[in-house]
Amino acid sequence: MAISEMTDRESRRTLATTTTIASSALSDSDLNLSSLRRRPSSTTVRAETNGFEGESSADDAVRDSSSDDSATGKSSEDDRDSKLDSVSPMEIGNDSVTNGKIGNSENREGVQDGAAVKFAYRPSVPAHRRIKESPLSSDAIFRQSHAGLFNLCIVVLVAVNSRLIIENLMKYGWLIKAGFWFSSTSLRDWPLLMCCLSLPIFPLAAFVVEKSAQQKYISEPVVVLLHIVITTAAIVYPVLVILRCDSAVLSGVTLMLFACIVWLKLVSYAHTSYDMRAVARAIEKGETPPSTQSKDCPYNVNIKSLAYFMVAPTLCYQPSYPRTACIRKGWVARQLVKLIIFTGVMGFIVEQYINPIVRNSQHPLKGNLLYAVERVLKLSVPNLYVWLCMFYCFFHLWLNILAELLRFGDREFYKDWWNAKTVEEYWRMWNMPVHKWMVRHIYFPCLRHGIPKGVAVVIAFLVSAVFHELCIAVPCHIFKLWAFIGIMLQVPLVLVTSYLQNKFRNSMVGNMIFWFIFCILGQPMCLLLYYHDLMNRKGKTD
């Protein structure tokens, strides 16, 4: 009887406590749970040693977090919702079971805390407190983590491409021959190799001209004329060598890329030196005070600075560059291994996938339209893989390896062009060395001479189109201007994508349009056009 009376008294006390807590909680319109929960006191700690070993860790987390909120005097609705959602029903059940072990009057504060937690999960407590967006809604999609979806995409890509590899091997067999990287026919390209090795003659000639200008042996107009002759010869000489030799297309493209890089560097060297001479003359005459920029980059013709510039991963000349402290040899070795692996992946995709698709295709402008669309769509995926591997190998791996070996500090060779919302943003972010060269030596000089911005942009695209045509048409011995037209068509695309971006005010629309043009309408079509024109030229020659 005594035990039952004691149990009844404890039950009445617990019920009274729960009623008091419930009434105070119901009077709070915000259901401020932090006012109902406190950090366990010393008596609660003693109660835990007497019989609270089974209390769930969720209660501790709620008490600790609520005590922090009470200390600062603030508790947001997001924090309360996360606290309520983070505790499972099993933990609540365990809490009620452990609270059933209470039999000591010293445990009343522990009972209050446990009852507060249990009250928070009663059916009468509102489950919906504020306005929330779904995680995949357009307004909230960029505030959520999509790591799981990214992993799913990786799994799907691996599965799909594994099936394509097996299907391709079953259909065509192993297409990569032993002479893929080197064969006896490559020996015919030795004139191109000798031409490439002789390209340093032009930077040396430019140095001699600048040294003569510094010593004032020749006048300024003569300096400008000699630089024009040197830069013109640096691009015409490789073109003549390629046209006179029946070399492989890949060898010709490589030589033209080197020649274009030398030309861009020589233009930057001549233009920058010209400007530094003008600044030095103005300072001597007292027309302008010496600025910090002229002190940091004085006009001083030095063969070492020119030689470093010719091999550095930049197209913009300056007497000195930011340098790193040391060379990370282990890092360089890892990047070289990656470069070899991804280069092999590119070769495998080209030989095993792109070549069979292109050989089994028709001229996209002369054959069946529906068949041409099917070939372009089928070619777009492996072409995109090759282009992404090329970008990663050259702009990330190779340029960073070169920068590390030369201790070149500024390694912003690209920006996040994959997030481009317009075609203009893509061209400003995907190739930073060329973009900086265009801005420094084409765009701003046009603006300084009073040319409108729109015309200056068209001139920059015109220069880019000419060099794209040289790098592709000259090695193929085909002058159909497909690459030139493709680059110049970017100008109206810049206007169209900018208009759509301003109209819809949605970054996803512009980015999707960019990827559609980039993956389907651009490179696959250009590849098919040049391939069939090249095959037709070889057929006529044979």
Side-chain angles (χ1 to χ4, degrees):
M1 292 294 294
I3 296 176
S4 61
E5 290 176 359
M6 184 178 298
T7 304
D8 294 339
R9 286 196 298 271
E10 292 294 332
S11 300
R12 286 194 296 272
R13 290 174 183 174
T14 304
L15 179 61
T17 303
T18 306
T19 304
T20 304
I21 295 173
S23 60
S24 62
L26 290 174
S27 64
D28 190 359
S29 60
D30 293 335
L31 294 173
N32 193 350
L33 302 179
S34 62
S35 63
L36 302 178
R37 298 189 290 268
R38 299 189 305 275
R39 185 179 296 276
S41 60
S42 59
T43 58
T44 307
V45 175
R46 290 194 302 271
E48 289 178 353
T49 58
N50 293 333
F52 274 79
E53 293 85 1
E55 188 172 358
S56 64
S57 60
D59 296 340
D60 296 335
V62 172
R63 294 192 195 101
D64 292 339
S65 59
S66 61
S67 64
D68 294 338
D69 293 339
S70 62
T72 57
K74 297 180 181 180
S75 178
S76 64
E77 294 183 0
D78 293 340
D79 295 336
R80 291 199 300 269
D81 294 341
S82 62
K83 292 172 186 175
L84 294 176
D85 296 337
S86 61
V87 183
S88 64
M90 183 61 69
E91 291 172 337
I92 299 174
N94 294 337
D95 180 72
S96 61
V97 172
T98 54
N99 287 336
K101 298 179 181 180
I102 301 174
N104 197 328
S105 60
E106 296 180 354
N107 299 329
R108 293 180 180 178
E109 291 187 4
V111 173
Q112 292 178 359
D113 293 334
V117 174
K118 288 187 291 185
F119 172 75
Y121 296 96
R122 295 181 68 87
S124 59
V125 176
H128 307 282
R129 293 180 175 82
R130 61 187 180 87
I131 299 174
K132 296 181 181 179
E133 291 286 344
S134 299
L136 295 180
S137 300
S138 59
D139 295 334
I141 189 170
F142 294 109
R143 297 196 298 268
Q144 302 289 332
S145 174
H146 301 91
L149 292 178
F150 178 78
N151 294 334
L152 175 62
C153 292
I154 296 297
V155 172
V156 171
L157 284 175
V158 171
V160 172
N161 287 279
S162 299
R163 183 191 65 81
L164 291 177
I165 291 174
I166 296 174
E167 180 181 337
N168 181 273
L169 292 175
M170 294 173 61
K171 185 176 182 179
Y172 299 105
W174 186 258
L175 298 178
I176 300 178
K177 307 301 181 182
F180 173 72
W181 299 106
F182 180 81
S183 63
S184 58
T185 57
S186 302
L187 297 176
R188 296 182 304 178
D189 299 337
W190 68 267
L192 276 65
L193 177 61
M194 299 305 297
C195 178
C196 185
L197 295 178
S198 61
L199 288 178
I201 295 176
F202 301 102
L204 184 61
F207 168 76
V208 173
V209 171
E210 284 299 321
K211 198 67 177 179
S212 302
Q214 184 186 25
Q215 301 297 331
K216 298 182 179 179
Y217 293 151
I218 54 179
S219 61
E220 195 65 34
V222 175
V223 173
V224 175
L225 179 61
L226 290 176
H227 276 303
I228 293 176
V229 172
I230 292 171
T231 52
T232 304
I235 198 68
V236 172
Y237 169 54
V239 171
L240 295 178
V241 172
I242 294 174
L243 293 178
R244 290 179 64 88
C245 301
D246 188 14
S247 60
V249 175
L250 184 59
S251 301
V253 171
T254 304
L255 177 59
M256 284 307 305
L257 288 175
F258 276 110
C260 291
I261 292 173
V262 171
W263 188 89
L264 294 172
K265 286 177 176 284
L266 290 178
V267 170
S268 179
Y269 179 69
H271 196 183
T272 304
S273 300
Y274 174 85
D275 187 65
M276 287 193 296
R277 286 197 304 273
V279 173
R281 286 196 300 267
I283 293 175
E284 291 177 358
K285 294 179 181 179
E287 298 177 357
T288 178
S291 61
T292 305
Q293 181 179 359
S294 62
K295 293 179 180 179
D296 295 338
C297 300
Y299 177 60
N300 183 18
V301 181
N302 190 347
I303 188 63
K304 291 183 179 180
S305 61
L306 177 59
Y308 183 86
F309 166 64
M310 294 306 298
V311 296
T314 180
L315 299 176
C316 295
Y317 172 75
Q318 59 191 57
S320 62
Y321 296 92
R323 306 287 293 275
T324 56
C326 61
I327 299 175
R328 297 171 293 178
K329 298 179 181 179
W331 184 88
V332 172
R334 291 192 298 271
Q335 304 308 308
L336 284 174
V337 172
K338 293 180 183 178
L339 182 62
I340 295 172
I341 293 174
F342 279 94
T343 303
V345 171
M346 280 194 297
F348 175 78
I349 296 175
V350 169
E351 285 293 302
Q352 199 71 30
Y353 288 92
I354 294 182
N355 281 349
I357 296 174
V358 173
R359 289 170 184 169
N360 296 328
S361 65
Q362 300 176 357
H363 198 288
L365 301 181
K366 298 179 181 179
N368 187 291
L369 178 61
L370 189 61
Y371 182 79
V373 171
E374 187 271 338
R375 290 288 97 179
V376 170
L377 292 176
K378 190 172 183 179
L379 185 62
S380 62
V381 176
N383 180 81
L384 177 62
Y385 289 164
V386 171
W387 197 93
L388 292 177
C389 288
M390 182 276 300
F391 170 81
Y392 183 72
C393 288
F394 183 76
F395 287 94
H396 182 74
L397 295 177
W398 171 245
L399 292 184
N400 272 287
I401 290 172
L402 189 60
E404 186 70 22
L405 294 176
L406 297 174
R407 294 169 48 213
F408 189 82
D410 187 4
R411 303 182 184 183
E412 191 185 41
F413 305 122
Y414 57 90
K415 293 184 179 180
D416 56 334
W417 56 267
W418 45 87
N419 293 326
K421 298 180 286 293
T422 62
V423 175
E424 180 186 6
E425 288 187 6
Y426 164 73
W427 286 107
R428 285 193 288 105
M429 294 190 297
W430 94 275
N431 189 342
M432 292 306 297
V434 172
H435 171 70
K436 292 177 181 178
W437 187 93
M438 287 287 184
V439 170
R440 190 186 193 192
H441 301 292
I442 299 292
Y443 184 73
F444 283 149
C446 289
L447 296 183
R448 284 194 295 267
H449 286 81
I451 299 177
K453 292 183 178 180
V455 179
V457 171
V458 173
I459 293 175
F461 273 103
L462 181 63
V463 175
S464 177
V466 170
F467 279 95
H468 277 79
E469 183 67 23
L470 286 176
C471 291
I472 301 177
V474 172
C476 295
H477 298 262
I478 298 173
F479 298 94
K480 295 294 186 70
L481 301 180
W482 298 125
F484 180 86
I485 295 172
I487 297 299
M488 293 308 298
L489 285 177
Q490 304 296 312
V491 177
L493 286 177
V494 168
L495 302 177
V496 171
T497 53
S498 299
Y499 169 76
L500 293 175
Q501 177 64 24
N502 294 331
K503 182 178 180 179
F504 290 100
R505 298 291 181 181
N506 192 326
S507 61
M508 294 298 293
V509 174
N511 188 254
M512 291 173 64
I513 294 174
F514 154 71
W515 278 114
F516 179 80
I517 297 173
F518 177 80
C519 296
I520 298 177
L521 297 182
Q523 299 175 15
M525 179 66 72
C526 188
L527 178 60
L528 289 177
L529 290 172
Y530 272 105
Y531 173 79
H532 287 286
D533 289 338
L534 180 62
M535 292 297 103
N536 293 335
R537 184 188 71 84
K538 288 185 176 181
K540 293 178 181 179
T541 302
D542 296 338

